[in-house]
Amino acid sequence: MSRRNRPPVALLILALLGLALFAVPLVALLIRTPWGQLPALLRSDIVADALRLSAVASVSATLIAAVVGVPLAWLLARVEFPGRALVRGLVLLPLVLPPVVGGAVLLFALGRRGVVGQALEQATGLVLPFSTWGVIVAVTFVSMPFLVVTVEGALRNLDARFEGAAATLGASRWTVLRRVTFPMIWPSVAAGLVLTWARALGEFGATITFAGNIQGRTQTLPLAVFVALESNRDAAVALSLIMVAVSLTVLVVLRERWWKAL
Amino acid sequence: MLRSVLAGVFAAVVVGGCAPAGGSRILVSAAASLTDVFGAMEVAFEEAHPGSDVVLNLAGSSMLREQILEGAPVDVYASANRENMTQVAAADRVDGEPALFARNRLQIAVPSGNPAGITGLDDFARDELLLGLCAPDVPCGAFAEKALANAGVTPAVDTYEPNVRALLTKVETGDLDAAIVYATDVLSAGGKVDGIDLPESVRAETDYWIAVIADAPDRDGARRFVDFVLSDAGREILTSYGFETP
């Protein structure tokens, strides 16, 4: 390698320092893992229930985000309306807000005596707190902004001439959206969906505050880790290991397969 | 490893400030159920000892225990049961002997007006109600389970909250129909929560223990604070918040 092509040493050291922040805890987790007891720990009800709930909640949140988040991103990127900056801020708020605060706010709004929650219970009998629906709401609230931000950015950066050309050739607005716009922003949509799913999988604060903590109904993997940390540390480590393994696999595999936008 | 993370976060978050010039800064890790009474204790102690600054670290007793066992630089530990204190003492993390300083009893907390018409522990078996307990590893949860077992009730629990204050909040907001908390918590919620006494027969009482932590960064200050809690002035404050003193 010629001297010219060699990366600057100072930059390399800083990059490795940054990497160490992520790598060292992971190595520590592997060292701390009770490998011998792992199969037994992973077969316990608590782990199975938490794994199932986390899968249900994170996938549901991602689907909901896809259905309402992409149109929301389109609205923010393409439609001029008064107060758009404020609406955008509102959508991004869950990224900044401590999740516990998010959970409390959801409780005020959707709890049994909340403004919307009370009406919801009277109309449908559905009570969100302490139910799996509540987990899905909390997790969606915290994770959806990732999709909206990513897709809105992609829509803004899209060269409008392609859409213009399609329209000139007689394509309807819906056809343009489906055949031109969407295929061009798909990599960003995919990246946004993966980020949303990943954030949803790790959600803790809003879930425990809004939906409570009960095995099989609202106790997702992060909640199970939190509870186990104070009682059964080996179980906590095993659960953490599952979370790391699942997340890392999905993120690495998906990155290789079909999203390169990030 | 996970404990190290806890201790690290703890050190960064709680111990961030700096001591008052020439004075002492005493870090007190106290059970969540002591939130209000130790707030008052802090004010009274600082008045009696000018230059001292008490910093409260409030969480579930078991979380505090984990932090201390991992070596968090705590001066005083006040636990809501004997078990957590025993574990800390067994790990040689206590300086001297832990002291019993207060007693508390459990009560059923319901939103004011008792909309679900709760009458006693038997109601905790009703599946149609929304019922909460503290997590079994937190003292209030362990005692509640013991009380329910003594009463022969298998509870239909909807949430196990990480500490008693989180549980109380969900009763205050009306999201839970009932929960088992300490009598002092019901008192602290003012009119927002009503308390229902448990029968004598279920023996739902808990002891509060306090100790100076080994290698306390401010050992003298820690000793002064513990002595203050055990003094007549300290007992008076505890009593005014609904605790019984030994």
Side-chain angles (χ1 to χ4, degrees):
Chain A
M1 202 189 287
S2 75
R3 190 179 159 73
R4 193 180 267 270
N5 289 337
R6 219 165 28 206
V9 174
L11 211 58
L12 207 59
I13 290 172
L14 289 174
L16 289 176
L17 258 176
L19 178 64
L21 183 64
F22 302 120
V24 170
L26 185 63
V27 172
L29 180 69
L30 294 177
I31 292 171
R32 182 65 181 72
T33 301
W35 295 102
Q37 305 161 41
L38 205 56
L41 285 169
L42 295 185
R43 271 198 301 274
S44 75
D45 284 356
I46 294 182
V47 175
D49 281 343
L51 201 59
R52 179 179 54 78
L53 254 177
S54 274
V56 167
S58 61
V59 171
S60 303
T62 311
L63 290 175
I64 294 171
V67 173
V68 298
V70 173
L72 184 55
W74 169 82
L75 179 75
L76 288 172
R78 289 296 168 84
V79 183
E80 297 244 13
F81 58 93
R84 184 161 70 163
L86 189 70
V87 172
R88 185 177 293 124
L90 202 64
V91 170
L92 299 187
L93 206 54
L95 290 179
V96 192
L97 221 54
V100 177
V101 175
V105 174
L106 285 174
L107 208 54
F108 300 151
L110 300 171
R112 281 162 101 193
R113 292 189 183 172
V115 253
V116 181
Q118 205 161 10
L120 188 72
E121 186 180 358
Q122 274 161 10
T124 64
L126 182 67
V127 177
L128 288 176
F130 317 115
S131 74
T132 304
W133 294 113
V135 177
I136 294 173
V137 169
V139 160
T140 307
F141 176 83
V142 172
S143 62
M144 192 163 76
F146 286 92
L147 182 67
V148 179
V149 174
T150 320
V151 175
E152 195 206 338
L155 281 169
R156 286 173 164 281
N157 291 330
L158 194 65
D159 193 334
R161 280 175 302 181
F162 291 106
E163 292 167 304
T168 315
L169 293 171
S172 72
R173 286 171 70 185
W174 190 245
T175 308
V176 172
L177 212 56
R178 200 163 48 85
R179 301 288 296 275
V180 179
T181 314
F182 196 73
M184 289 177 77
I185 61 164
W186 166 243
S188 299
V189 174
L193 287 172
V194 172
L195 279 179
T196 300
W197 173 82
R199 179 67 188 88
L201 186 73
E203 212 303 307
F204 170 76
T207 308
I208 199 165
T209 310
F210 179 60
N213 167 43
I214 191 90
Q215 190 192 329
R217 211 188 315 158
T218 63
Q219 191 182 74
T220 54
L221 279 170
L223 271 63
V225 173
F226 179 76
V227 171
L229 212 48
E230 293 179 27
S231 51
N232 181 349
R233 208 161 310 121
D234 284 346
V237 171
L239 282 161
S240 308
L241 198 69
I242 296 182
M243 289 208 67
V244 169
V246 171
S247 318
L248 212 56
T249 307
V250 170
L251 293 176
V252 170
V253 168
L254 291 187
R255 176 95 172 86
E256 290 304 311
R257 286 274 171 81
W258 47 269
W259 57 287
K260 308 271 183 183
L262 285 180
Chain B
M1 193 286 299
L2 289 160
R3 265 214 226 147
S4 322
V5 174
L6 279 184
V9 169
F10 174 88
V13 175
V14 184
V15 200
C18 33
S24 84
R25 198 165 143 288
I26 308 154
L27 185 61
V28 178
S29 280
S33 50
L34 295 169
T35 302
D36 293 330
V37 67
F38 267 40
M41 200 71 81
E42 175 187 351
V43 172
F45 178 82
E46 286 169 358
E47 259 168 33
H49 298 89
S52 293
D53 179 19
V54 172
V55 178
L56 295 178
N57 171 39
L58 301 154
S61 297
S62 47
M63 171 71 81
L64 300 172
R65 178 199 73 210
E66 287 299 305
Q67 291 171 348
I68 292 168
L69 290 180
E70 187 51 39
V74 173
D75 294 300
V76 175
Y77 176 43
S79 162
N81 68 355
R82 189 172 191 160
E83 171 63 18
N84 282 304
M85 184 61 86
T86 308
Q87 285 189 39
V88 172
D92 283 331
R93 293 287 291 138
V94 164
D95 187 328
E97 288 293 315
L100 172 73
F101 71 98
R103 286 207 178 87
N104 205 347
R105 63 203 160 81
L106 293 178
Q107 264 191 336
I108 299 172
V110 296
S112 71
N114 195 359
I118 306 289
T119 56
L121 285 176
D122 288 345
D123 289 312
F124 277 79
R126 287 166 62 189
D127 207 22
E128 75 276 15
L129 298 178
L130 285 175
L131 304 162
L133 297 180
C134 290
D137 301 297
V138 185
C140 68
F143 282 107
E145 296 215 315
K146 207 191 279 176
L148 286 162
N150 288 346
V153 176
T154 309
V157 182
D158 293 286
T159 184
Y160 287 101
E161 294 291 315
N163 66 66
V164 68
R165 285 304 162 125
L167 182 59
L168 187 71
T169 302
K170 285 176 182 171
V171 178
E172 281 183 25
T173 59
D175 285 291
L176 286 174
D177 292 313
I180 300 181
V181 301
Y182 298 112
T184 50
D185 294 308
V186 173
L187 202 64
S188 78
K192 283 182 277 186
V193 167
D194 292 343
I196 300 168
D197 279 322
L198 301 184
E200 285 287 322
S201 57
V202 300
R203 289 180 181 282
E205 257 203 354
T206 172
D207 297 342
Y208 284 74
W209 292 76
I210 194 165
V212 175
I213 294 305
D215 314 319
D218 184 357
R219 192 172 169 208
D220 295 341
R223 182 58 60 199
R224 273 198 300 277
F225 183 79
V226 170
D227 288 344
F228 183 80
V229 171
L230 296 170
S231 72
D232 286 345
R235 291 157 64 106
E236 210 167 284
I237 293 170
L238 285 161
T239 313
S240 71
Y241 279 83
F243 289 89
E244 288 151 30
T245 49

